[in-house]
Amino acid sequence: MESAASELNGLISEYFTARGFLQTHAMLQTEAKHHSSWHPPPSQQAGLHSDFLVAFECGERHAFFELWDSHIPSALRSTDPTCQHLEFTISVHFATYPLRKGAGNSAQSMAEFKSYLENRGAVLAQSEEFATYCALPYIPDPTRHPSFKALFTDSWSVELKARLIQFLKLTLPEANLPQLLALYLNNKRCAGRNEGTLVEELQQQLAVCERQYTSRLTEIQSSYHTLVGIAMELVEALEEAVAGRMITPEYIQSMCSRLFGNSVQHPSDFQRPPT
């Protein structure tokens, strides 16, 4: 923190010099020497870090995500890849917690993770990085499965906890920072991200969208071919009706079922009108 404050002082000094505020610049230099060691006062966020970590370490999924949804900005949760990836991995942590610790209801934790995959984590679940975890709720003994063995090692949970701590420090600072310093630190964080990582994340998101649209296109094409087939059959049936052959209620029911599924329960009494 002191290093960042010192760097920011340098930028401000540069600005003062460029604008010709020489007396102000000199005063800043003097004041900076007398306050070289600076520690911002604690904020109300300090206790939150502890609450997050207690819920994480005790496997309290509901308590953790109540904190997460209440204090992590929704814009960050919905757009920031780092936040989204961390959320998904933490969900894996809670899903496997009973198996790792021998405490809690494993079936319930897996059911909750399955629900997460189908709803909140649906997009990431289709990405190459996380697609494997879709099988996790269906594996009888994940602790022995080659794809999931790493989840049950101490190093995996320790590394994940370290990622969580670092994320909380950046997102929920434990000190009341001046807004200018907060902006500077956030800019350094964004600038420090590897460009290749950003490109990879964007490529993964693009691949997920492509798979979704491809799947939807396949469904539309299938529905189109079904409708064309039904239309052709109805034209043939109309030709037969014109020729004097009756269209049976069972045939109408069959067409309705193909069009609307099982929503049509009772065939109507369709009869060809007399000629």
Side-chain angles (χ1 to χ4, degrees):
M1 188 66 66
E2 289 183 22
S3 174
S6 178
E7 293 172 5
L8 186 57
N9 284 343
L11 293 175
I12 295 173
S13 295
E14 181 184 22
Y15 173 77
F16 285 162
T17 302
R19 290 295 308 274
F21 302 151
L22 301 183
Q23 292 183 351
T24 307
H25 171 264
M27 183 62 70
L28 174 62
Q29 295 294 95
T30 302
E31 291 284 340
K33 288 179 182 178
H34 286 89
H35 301 283
S36 57
S37 179
W38 175 73
H39 299 283
S43 72
Q44 295 179 349
Q45 310 284 22
L48 276 178
H49 289 214
S50 176
D51 294 340
F52 270 105
L53 294 177
V54 167
F56 177 86
E57 293 178 341
C58 295
E60 297 175 356
R61 181 184 186 280
H62 295 290
F64 182 92
F65 280 109
E66 282 183 6
L67 290 169
W68 185 268
D69 293 341
S70 298
H71 299 286
I72 305 301
S74 59
L76 197 67
R77 287 186 276 116
S78 59
T79 61
D80 184 69
T82 299
C83 179
Q84 293 172 339
H85 289 199
L86 180 61
E87 178 185 294
F88 192 102
T89 311
I90 289 173
S91 296
V92 174
H93 160 77
F94 287 119
T96 56
Y97 184 89
L99 293 173
R100 283 202 314 276
K101 301 296 184 179
N105 189 324
S106 177
Q108 180 180 346
S109 67
M110 286 297 178
E112 290 173 343
F113 181 61
K114 181 181 177 184
S115 176
Y116 173 80
L117 291 175
E118 294 171 349
N119 297 282
R120 188 161 166 168
V123 174
L124 275 184
Q126 298 180 57
S127 68
E128 183 177 350
E129 181 179 357
F130 296 110
T132 305
Y133 295 108
C134 292
L136 183 59
Y138 305 98
I139 302 297
D141 187 2
T143 60
R144 298 181 178 225
H145 196 281
S147 299
F148 303 117
K149 277 186 177 181
L151 303 179
F152 301 95
T153 61
D154 291 338
S155 59
W156 185 84
S157 57
V158 169
E159 181 184 354
L160 178 58
K161 180 181 176 182
R163 286 173 56 193
L164 173 61
I165 291 173
Q166 181 63 19
F167 177 80
L168 292 175
K169 284 181 178 179
L170 293 171
T171 309
L172 303 172
E174 292 184 293
N176 280 318
L177 299 179
Q179 187 174 1
L180 184 59
L181 181 56
L183 288 171
Y184 177 71
L185 290 171
N186 186 59
N187 182 66
K188 285 190 67 175
R189 173 195 171 198
C190 295
R193 295 185 66 183
N194 184 279
E195 184 177 344
T197 301
L198 289 172
V199 172
E200 183 179 348
E201 290 173 351
L202 291 173
Q203 288 175 337
Q204 288 180 352
Q205 292 181 14
L206 178 61
V208 170
C209 291
E210 286 179 345
R211 282 195 292 270
Q212 289 178 327
Y213 287 125
T214 299
S215 175
R216 181 60 180 154
L217 178 60
T218 301
E219 292 178 5
I220 293 173
Q221 289 176 331
S222 176
S223 298
Y224 167 76
H225 291 306
T226 299
L227 287 173
V228 169
I230 292 175
M232 292 177 65
E233 291 183 30
L234 289 174
V235 169
E236 292 175 358
L238 182 59
E239 291 175 347
E240 291 183 359
V242 171
R245 288 184 287 273
M246 184 182 71
I247 300 177
T248 66
E250 289 75 19
Y251 179 81
I252 298 297
Q253 174 69 14
S254 173
M255 290 295 102
C256 290
S257 296
R258 290 171 64 185
L259 281 170
F260 308 111
N262 296 322
S263 59
V264 180
Q265 299 294 332
H266 303 289
S268 302
D269 187 16
F270 291 101
Q271 300 290 337
R272 177 176 175 273
T275 57

